[in-house]
């Protein structure tokens, strides 16, 4: 019988999962649509069903069944990591605040579980489940095996449907006293004063810098009403549409200025930028980098700014890293041993 660790990336539109070994290698990634509109219980049902598929596909070479040693989940929303409970969330996942993600998945997957060790969540009677914010999970993956591999401190910024960030200090994500460390999208920024953020307030970075905000602003300023989405606005910008280019540039500059403020306070070794807009082309990237470099003090002029390396795998890998930490001795978690894979890049790991 084979015991496996599974990482889950739970997003507002799609949930993906895979087995993750202690060296970070992934099994086949499976995904399902997230039934967000149906409410938290339906979402947890979908996650549990997906995990069952992953575990079933990971059976022993002799044909025997696999068991679930521990489970890691990176999810949208602010997470109390100690309890595995959602503290707050936007309407991306309606009704998500207050959801006991860890407890709900323990109950749904109890029959697959390898019992948790004494002193860990479940105290020898239940599945170990690790739950953290999805951007924190992205950061954990990038620090373990990706663009920030080997760094003891890093700022990871994810710009896509929303704007999120994670701060890694001494190799670990900073959670904060109220579980909201890294909520970059809700920083007040110039240019967004009258724009409504998904959190319900106005003036936040997400209201101008996120993907949907780019599309909304393009239409509001008189752009072609036939434009269907942000991807189209970015394409129009690349094709010479001056309004589209201005909107994309403004969004990227807003993100760059916000990042400059954070790095000036924290002085990380590296900044990693991921999410859908990180692949939006040179216009977006150069506007972000120019704004960042223009705002920081001289001593930070050479701060490394890198594109995320793990792509859609990052949150799965990072969530699984957190899950591994529940079942191995302190100091032996993946990525913490000197000379281990935590000091290799994703490219080195996959081409070695």
């Amino acid at each position: 019988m084979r015991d496996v660790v599974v990482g889950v990336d739970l997003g507002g539109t799609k949930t993906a999962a895979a087995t993750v070994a202690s060296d970070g290698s992934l099994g086949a990634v499976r995904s399902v649509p997230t039934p967000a509109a149906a409410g938290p219980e339906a979402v947890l049902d979908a996650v549990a069903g997906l995990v069952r598929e992953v575990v079933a596909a990971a059976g022993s070479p002799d044909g025997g069944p696999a068991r679930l040693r521990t489970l890691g989940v990176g999810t949208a929303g602010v997470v109390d990591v100690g309890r595995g409970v959602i503290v707050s969330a936007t309407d991306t996942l309606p009704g998500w605040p207050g959801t006991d993600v860890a407890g709900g998945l323990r109950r749904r997957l109890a029959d697959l579980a390898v019992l948790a060790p004494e002193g860990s969540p479940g105290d020898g009677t239940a599945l170990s489940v690790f739950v953290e914010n999805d951007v924190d999970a992205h950061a954990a993956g990038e620090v373990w095996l990706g663009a920030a591999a080997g760094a003891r401190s890093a700022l990871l910024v994810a710009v896509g449907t929303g704007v999120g960030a994670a701060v890694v200090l001494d190799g670990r994500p900073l959670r904060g006293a109220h579980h909201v460390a890294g909520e970059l999208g809700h920083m007040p920024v110039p240019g967004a004063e009258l724009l409504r953020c998904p959190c319900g307030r106005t003036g936040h970075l997400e209201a101008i810098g996120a993907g949907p905000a780019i599309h909304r602003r393009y239409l509001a300023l008189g752009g072609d009403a036939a434009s269907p989405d942000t991807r189209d606005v970015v394409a129009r910008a690349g094709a010479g549409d001056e309004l589209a280019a201005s909107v994309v540039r403004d969004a990227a500059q807003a993100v760059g200025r916000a990042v400059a403020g954070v790095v000036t306070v924290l002085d990380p070794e590296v900044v990693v930028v991921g999410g859908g807009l990180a692949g939006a082309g040179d216009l977006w990237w150069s506007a972000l980098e120019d704004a960042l470099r223009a705002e920081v003090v001289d001593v930070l002029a050479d701060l490394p700014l890198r594109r995320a390396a793990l792509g859609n795998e990052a949150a799965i890998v990072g969530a699984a890293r957190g899950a591994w930490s529940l079942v191995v001795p302190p100091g032996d978690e993946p990525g913490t041993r000197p000379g281990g894979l935590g000091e290799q890049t994703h490219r080195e790991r996959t081409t070695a």
Side-chain angles (χ1 to χ4, degrees):
M1 184 171 289
R2 182 186 179 201
D3 296 346
V4 298
V5 172
V6 174
V8 177
D9 180 7
L10 199 177
T13 58
K14 183 183 75 171
T15 298
T19 58
V20 182
S22 61
D23 66 355
S25 58
L26 285 168
V29 177
R30 295 171 177 255
S31 64
V32 295
T34 303
E41 294 302 313
V43 171
L44 293 179
D45 286 343
V47 174
L50 181 61
V51 171
R52 287 184 179 278
E53 289 183 22
V54 170
V55 173
S60 302
D62 61 5
R67 298 187 305 171
L68 185 57
R69 185 178 183 189
T70 182
L71 174 65
V73 180
T75 174
V78 176
V79 181
D80 180 338
V81 175
R83 297 187 298 140
V85 174
I86 306 301
V87 175
S88 67
T90 67
D91 55 10
T92 300
L93 288 171
W96 202 229
T99 301
D100 182 359
V101 177
L105 292 176
R106 280 194 200 104
R107 291 190 296 273
R108 287 167 170 83
L109 297 168
D111 60 304
L112 296 182
V114 177
L115 295 186
E118 296 293 327
S120 66
D123 197 25
T125 63
L127 173 70
S128 294
V129 180
F130 177 85
V131 185
E132 67 180 340
N133 170 265
D134 53 356
V135 182
D136 284 352
H138 271 85
E142 292 289 343
V143 169
W144 182 13
L145 300 170
R152 300 305 299 172
S153 63
L155 173 68
L156 181 126
V157 181
V159 191
T161 304
V163 181
V167 178
V168 175
L169 298 176
D170 196 27
R172 300 288 183 184
L174 176 68
R175 309 297 184 186
H178 303 90
H179 318 292
V180 297
E183 287 292 326
L184 185 71
H186 303 295
M187 286 181 60
V189 294
E193 291 86 357
L194 301 178
L195 301 177
R196 185 180 183 277
C197 178
C199 74
R201 293 170 174 78
T202 58
H204 292 178
L205 174 60
E206 196 163 297
I208 190 172
I214 289 175
H215 184 237
R216 286 195 302 268
R217 190 160 181 255
Y218 173 72
L219 297 179
L221 293 177
D224 187 347
S227 175
D229 53 28
T230 302
R231 188 185 302 271
D232 177 74
V233 177
V234 171
R236 288 171 184 266
D241 182 323
E242 292 185 5
L243 177 60
S246 175
V247 170
V248 170
R249 190 180 300 111
D250 287 350
Q253 288 174 341
V255 175
R257 292 189 187 100
V259 172
V262 174
V263 301
T264 301
V265 172
L266 297 178
D267 188 18
E269 291 179 43
V270 60
V271 176
V272 177
V273 181
L277 282 172
D282 289 342
L283 173 64
W284 186 89
W285 187 271
S286 61
L288 181 152
E289 182 165 13
D290 289 349
L292 168 62
R293 305 284 183 204
E295 295 287 349
V296 296
V297 294
D298 290 348
V299 71
L300 296 175
D302 296 325
L303 176 70
L305 177 67
R306 300 172 185 164
R307 287 179 171 86
L310 298 185
N312 294 332
E313 300 175 357
I316 295 174
V317 171
R321 184 189 183 194
W324 273 106
S325 73
L326 299 180
V327 295
V328 297
D332 286 340
E333 301 96 327
T336 63
R337 293 180 291 278
L341 282 172
E343 298 181 9
Q344 288 182 286
T345 66
H346 178 61
R347 178 171 297 176
E348 288 168 339
R349 175 172 64 91
T350 54
T351 59

